[in-house]
Amino acid sequence: MEVGNQSVVVGFVLLGLSDQPKLEKTFFVFILLMYLVILLGNGVLILVTILDSHLHTPMYFFLGNLSFLDICYTTSSIPLVLDGFLTPRKTISFSGCAMQMFLSFAMGATECVLLGMMAFDRYVAICNPLRYPVVMSKAVYVPMAISSWVAGGANSLVQISLAVQLPFCGDNVINHFTCEILAVLKLACADISINVISMGVANVIFLGVPVLFISVSYVFIIATILRIPSADGRKKAFSTCSAHLTVVVVFYGTILFMYAKPKSKDPLGADKQDLSDKLISLFYGVLTPMLNPIIYSLRNKHVKVAVKTLVSQKCFA
């Protein structure tokens, strides 16, 4: 389709590892195995939080949501990545690209809010245990979880709506494995300052505010734990939030590593840095969802017992 002397983009080519064909088959195996672990691990967590009546509490309800979210987040992009490793020319339609960006962006924003909700749950459980059944009743924690999904979806709708309104003409090669929104915006042949400002505001709301909220919550949690006179009591109290704290550190730590690392000023190293950035982004997309069920299974005795019970029932059924 021609407009003047420029062709309007109706689809995109995903560059991926096209310039590194020997690596594609290796990474296909690695990413496929990690994706299967994500589906299995998070699927088991969802099952145990539904089937085990002892886990019908706010914390495990949020955990079930987190596991479902991780499955949705990876499924929105990993099948596309795997297909790209096996396809000589990786193409995706404009509408398909927009949908993939929407799902990935929505799941990422939702996880940020959900981790903040889980921090509040741990704060109430440890700092106000007597009021916990009232403050975190089903009438409260279910709308909290729903609101995190709605907020993430609304934010994604705004960002993607602004992105798809941009004109894309000429170059249609995305230097990434998927339709990563920043890589797509680079291809727009128009001013993207509104998009940059909008995403900056969203980052403050969905990254900065939850981090601040989680940090403040854990300051009070740690202060409360340190006031517990017995060592066993302190250990028991900390064990109830250690898994969530570990997940938060992994989630935000990888984000910080991705975006805070210095950029190379050597033009000769630009290609290597682009490859490094793409691989880091790829593994970030699968590492955190893969580690979440492992962390909760290893650091939470109730989940560990529920998983063992579920496995034994299936084995001897």
Side-chain angles (χ1 to χ4, degrees):
M1 179 177 177
E2 297 290 331
V3 178
N5 293 325
Q6 291 182 317
S7 59
V8 177
V9 172
V10 294
F12 297 99
V13 176
L14 300 171
L15 191 60
L17 289 175
S18 298
D19 54 345
Q20 303 282 341
K22 292 183 179 180
L23 291 177
E24 288 188 312
K25 301 299 184 289
T26 302
F27 278 105
F28 174 84
V29 174
F30 279 139
I31 300 302
L32 176 61
L33 290 176
M34 294 175 77
Y35 182 51
L36 293 176
V37 171
I38 289 168
L39 295 179
L40 178 62
N42 286 288
V44 168
L45 273 185
I46 293 172
L47 280 177
V48 298
T49 56
I50 293 173
L51 299 178
D52 194 320
S53 60
H54 297 96
L55 301 184
H56 291 175
T57 63
M59 182 174 73
Y60 298 109
F61 177 76
F62 287 131
L63 177 58
N65 274 262
L66 183 64
S67 294
F68 180 67
L69 186 150
D70 284 338
I71 290 176
C72 293
Y73 177 71
T74 51
T75 302
S76 70
S77 58
I78 297 305
L80 179 65
V81 173
L82 294 173
D83 179 64
F85 285 142
L86 301 178
T87 307
R89 184 174 175 83
K90 304 91 175 173
T91 59
I92 185 171
S93 66
F94 189 87
S95 58
C97 187
M99 179 58 68
Q100 194 263 311
M101 285 193 297
F102 171 79
L103 292 174
S104 295
F105 216 96
M107 297 305 105
T110 300
E111 182 155 1
C112 291
V113 179
L114 193 59
L115 288 174
M117 301 286 190
M118 295 173 77
F120 177 73
D121 171 73
R122 293 299 83 208
Y123 162 77
V124 178
I126 292 175
C127 299
N128 295 284
L130 297 180
R131 289 180 51 80
Y132 183 76
V134 176
V135 176
M136 294 302 296
S137 64
K138 190 172 184 178
V140 174
Y141 69 75
V142 172
M144 285 173 65
I146 293 173
S147 66
S148 67
W149 287 90
V150 171
N155 173 60
S156 183
L157 185 61
V158 170
Q159 305 305 328
I160 305 309
S161 296
L162 290 173
V164 298
Q165 291 178 33
L166 293 169
F168 294 89
C169 46
D171 188 12
N172 69 333
V173 178
I174 299 175
N175 188 16
H176 214 280
F177 297 101
T178 62
C179 289
E180 201 271 334
I181 190 166
L182 294 177
V184 172
L185 290 178
K186 291 179 181 179
L187 304 181
C189 48
D191 182 27
I192 62 170
S193 57
I194 296 298
N195 302 76
V196 173
I197 293 171
S198 177
M199 289 182 65
V201 172
N203 285 339
V204 171
I205 296 173
F206 287 92
L207 284 174
V209 173
V211 166
L212 180 62
F213 184 80
I214 291 169
S215 300
V216 172
S217 297
Y218 272 99
V219 167
F220 285 104
I221 288 172
I222 292 172
T224 301
I225 290 175
L226 292 177
R227 288 199 297 268
I228 297 175
S230 68
D232 287 341
R234 290 193 295 271
K235 183 178 179 181
K236 183 178 179 180
F238 184 73
S239 67
T240 64
C241 60
S242 61
H244 173 258
L245 183 59
T246 304
V247 167
V248 167
V249 170
V250 171
F251 180 75
Y252 286 105
T254 49
I255 291 178
L256 183 64
F257 176 76
M258 281 173 58
Y259 294 106
K261 63 187 183 67
K263 299 293 183 182
S264 173
K265 297 181 180 180
D266 180 10
L268 297 176
D271 291 339
K272 289 184 178 180
Q273 181 165 316
D274 285 342
L275 176 61
S276 173
D277 289 345
K278 287 191 292 185
L279 290 177
I280 290 172
S281 177
L282 174 62
F283 278 99
Y284 162 73
V286 293
L287 185 63
T288 304
M290 185 183 73
L291 290 178
N292 285 351
I294 296 174
I295 291 169
Y296 272 98
S297 297
L298 292 177
R299 302 190 67 87
N300 188 298
K301 65 179 182 180
H302 298 295
V303 173
K304 194 184 301 184
V305 170
V307 170
K308 288 181 178 178
T309 302
L310 178 65
V311 172
S312 63
Q313 288 176 345
K314 294 297 181 183
C315 290
F316 295 104

